[in-house]
């Protein structure tokens, strides 16, 4: 108190009180009421002191208030955030200078126009902003909201707005204070992160997670339709899932490298994005590799979906030009419809995938899901798991079936046939079962590697012992389509020391159908390295004579189907005879498969067939048994007993 009183302001105000009051006291005491005594002086004295102190107190309060205002301004003006104070009516009382850098507007713009903030809120956020303003004006609790503002130059920025009411000592709301922080950079980073989690970085199409969420939402929306089917009609609430796999993509990847493969995927995605989505009003996601999933609600009728697949193929029709290469690609689609074919995203995608597999295996451009496919898919997954384990534990082994020259009875070759040998020595699923599964599931490469490695080692060993026979290796369509297959086979056999001139590759017609030009190139490469080529299962496929002239086959293998009834069925006899003549005219060696009886052997021998293969001579046998067979056959040959069953 004394300190306060000692302040210049108090001394000043008391002094001025004296200056104003004492002359009046003098006039009162001396002129008007002469000599009124001590009391006449004491009252004005006390009044001066009292009024001086009161005046000083008011002056001091005012000074302090001004100082506080200055301090507040000094701090708030210094802030990099846009700080403001407004009345409930929206009149701005303070706006920090940082508003200029954040919004592009001056504090004066806010002072001059009440509720100026309302006019710069981004249109999509207006609703949220207005409800926030009302909340604050209605004495609501402090709030934190995020919204966008449009800067004076049109740029849109994100602000975090922290807001609370200001109350007088009696608790009445007298204003609203706020801090606005520019969070645009953070929002961008968040958006990028979110984008990364939901979009494929290579093609920028939605990814699996997005697809699953999207389908989940559709299912949640549409499930209500099914309660009201009568109102919305038969197809209301349905949607179709198209699993799209690019044809020949693997070939592009293998032949031209991954960077061209990636560029191709980007171009394909670009075409899908720009045309397909507009036309089909659909969502298309990259599922992985060269697989895309399209979800459409437009129409789920078969005709409409067929049209959709057609348009997808038309989109891909024009060749892609990438780094000077002209690349052509097609697509195969499998279709599943919600809720008919599944009620979860996983089931729908899995079923569309199964339908796609079916379409591919039948050479079709599309297929609709059918429930048998689900069973097939389950079996496939089960078999795939078992096959993987079998490969790891070396349970896939080569067996050998002798090929016998019919005229002499001499063993001239052996066909390598895959066998699944269980750990207890018994036989697992037959190759007729596991080879197609390995092809569908992409395990054929691993199966082929393990067989070539083991058979190559066996063959090299026999060749080193002077065994002069030809070994035939079966190569399936998928294997042959693999661009690296030929190089792998050459490299692997050469590394093991196998004489390639004693190895024959057995191909079926279906292997050659895919891409005639490329197949011819591969065959020529294999032949140039010494391999010979056999056309397997002749008579069961297209049996196109055109193919026989087109490809330089060394051997024609007549399918077992023409041997079974060759004795009793005159037509089969006639066909087998014609085939043998035709092959000879084209300078090919003829092998008859599936000879089970001596009569069959005799008839075929009489028809001029060169070589026979079948249970009459030997079943497919393990390498040790083949070694014995070779020894016995050589011994028999020296005793000249042709066609002897072993
Ligand atoms: P394929 O190439 O036509 O093989 C001949 C099939 O006929 C073999 O069946 C063989 O065991 C069987 N066979 C041979 N002689 C007779 C006979 O006198 N009577 C009867 N009933 N059958 C006979 P397998 O070993 O079950 O092979 C079936 C098919 O699996 C093969 O047909 C071939 O297409 C495929 N395969 C087998 N091993 C391989 C392989 O290593 N790679 C590939 N890609 N496919 C293979
Ligand atoms: Ca064969
Ligand atoms: Ca065959």
């Amino acid at each position: 108190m004394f300190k306060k009183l000692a302040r210049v302001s108090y001394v000043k105000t008391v002094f001025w009180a004296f200056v104003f009051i004492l002359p009046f006291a003098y006039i009162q005491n001396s002129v008007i009421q002469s000599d009124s005594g001590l009391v006449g002086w004491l009252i004005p004295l006390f009044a001066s002191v009292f009024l001086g102190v009161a005046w000083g107190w008011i002056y001091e309060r005012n000074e302090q208030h001004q100082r506080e205002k200055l301090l507040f301004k000094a701090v708030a003006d210094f802030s990099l955030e846009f700080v403001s104070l407004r009345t409930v009516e929206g009149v701005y009382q303070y706006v920090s200078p940082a508003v200029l850098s954040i919004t592009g507007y001056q504090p004066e713009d806010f002072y001059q126009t009440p509720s100026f903030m309302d006019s710069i809120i981004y249109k999509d956020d207006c609703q949220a902003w207005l409800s926030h303003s009302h909340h604050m004006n209605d004495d609501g609790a402090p709030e934190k909201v995020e919204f966008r503002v449009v800067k004076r130059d049109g740029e849109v920025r994100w602000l975090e707005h922290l807001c609370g009411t200001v109350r007088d000592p009696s608790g009445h709301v007298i204003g609203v204070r706020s801090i606005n922080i520019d969070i645009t950079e953070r929002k961008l980073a968040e958006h990028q992160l979110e984008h990364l989690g939901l979009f494929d970085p290579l093609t920028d199409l939605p990814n699996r997670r997005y697809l699953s969420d999207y389908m989940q939402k559709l299912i949640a929306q549409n499930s209500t339709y099914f309660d009201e089917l009568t109102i919305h009609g038969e197809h209301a609430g349905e949607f179709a899932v198209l699993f799209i796999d690019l044809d020949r993509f693997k070939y592009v990847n293998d032949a031209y490298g991954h960077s061209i493969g990636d560029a191709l995927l980007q171009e394909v995605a670009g075409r899908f994005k720009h045309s397909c989505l507009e036309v089909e009003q659909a969502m298309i996601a990259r599922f992985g590799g060269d697989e895309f999933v399209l979800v459409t609600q437009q129409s789920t009728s078969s005709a409409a979906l067929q049209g959709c697949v057609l348009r997808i193929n038309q989109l891909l029709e024009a060749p892609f030009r990438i780094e000077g290469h002209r690349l052509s690609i097609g697509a195969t689609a499998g279709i599943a419809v919600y809720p008919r074919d599944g009620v979860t995203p996983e089931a729908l995608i899995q079923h569309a995938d199964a339908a796609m597999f079916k379409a591919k295996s039948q050479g079709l451009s599309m297929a609709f899901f059918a429930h048998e496919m689900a069973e097939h898919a389950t079996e496939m997954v089960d078999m795939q798991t078992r096959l993987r384990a079998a490969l790891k534990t070396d349970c896939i082994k080569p067996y050998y079936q002798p090929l016998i020259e019919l005229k002499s009875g001499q063993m001239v070759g052996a066909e390598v046939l895959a066998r699944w040998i269980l750990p207890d020595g018994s036989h697992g699923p037959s190759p007729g079962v596991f080879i197609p599964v390995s092809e569908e599931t992409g395990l054929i490469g691993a199966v082929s590697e393990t067989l070539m490695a083991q058979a190559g080692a066996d063959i090299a060993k026999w060749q080193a012992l002077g065994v002069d026979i030809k070994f035939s290796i079966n190569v399936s369509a998928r294997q042959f389509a693999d661009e690296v297959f030929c190089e792998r086979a050459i490299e692997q056999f050469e590394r093991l020391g196998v004489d390639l001139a004693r190895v024959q590759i057995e191909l079926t017609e279906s292997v050659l159908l895919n891409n005639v030009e490329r197949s011819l190139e591969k065959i020529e490469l294999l032949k140039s390295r010494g391999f010979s080529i056999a056309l397997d299962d002749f008579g069961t496929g297209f049996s196109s004579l055109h193919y026989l002239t087109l490809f330089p086959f060394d051997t024609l293998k007549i399918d077992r189907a023409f041997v079974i009834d060759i004795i009793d069925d005159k037509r089969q006899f006639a066909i087998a005879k014609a085939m043998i003549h035709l092959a000879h005219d084209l300078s090919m060696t003829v092998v008859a498969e599936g000879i089970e009886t001596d009569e069959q052997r005799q008839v075929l021998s009489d028809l001029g067939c060169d070589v026979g293969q079948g249970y009459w001579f030997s079943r497919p046998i393990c390498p040790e048994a083949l070694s014995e067979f070779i020894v016995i056959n050589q011994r028999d040959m020296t005793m000249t007993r042709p066609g002897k069953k072993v």
Side-chain angles (χ1 to χ4, degrees), residues 415-417 472-474 506 536-537 557 593 613:
E415 179 174 359
V416 182
L417 291 159
S472 300
I473 313 274
N474 289 286
E506 291 194 8
D536 200 1
D537 299 346
K557 292 190 81 172
E593 292 182 320
Q613 174 183 2

Side-chain angles (χ1 to χ4, degrees), residues 531-581:
F531 287 99
S532 50
I533 311 289
L535 180 61
D536 200 1
D537 299 346
F538 190 70
T540 56
F542 295 86
S543 307
S544 162
L545 299 181
H546 177 58
Y547 280 105
L548 282 185
T549 53
L550 199 62
F551 295 99
F553 298 118
D554 301 283
T555 302
L556 186 82
K557 292 190 81 172
I558 299 176
D559 193 73
R560 197 169 72 86
F562 299 92
V563 175
I564 293 174
D565 285 329
I566 199 164
I567 307 292
D568 306 319
D569 190 334
K570 283 200 174 78
R571 290 180 63 217
Q572 282 202 359
F573 176 85
I575 294 172
K577 188 177 163 187
M579 284 181 189
I580 293 165
H581 284 153

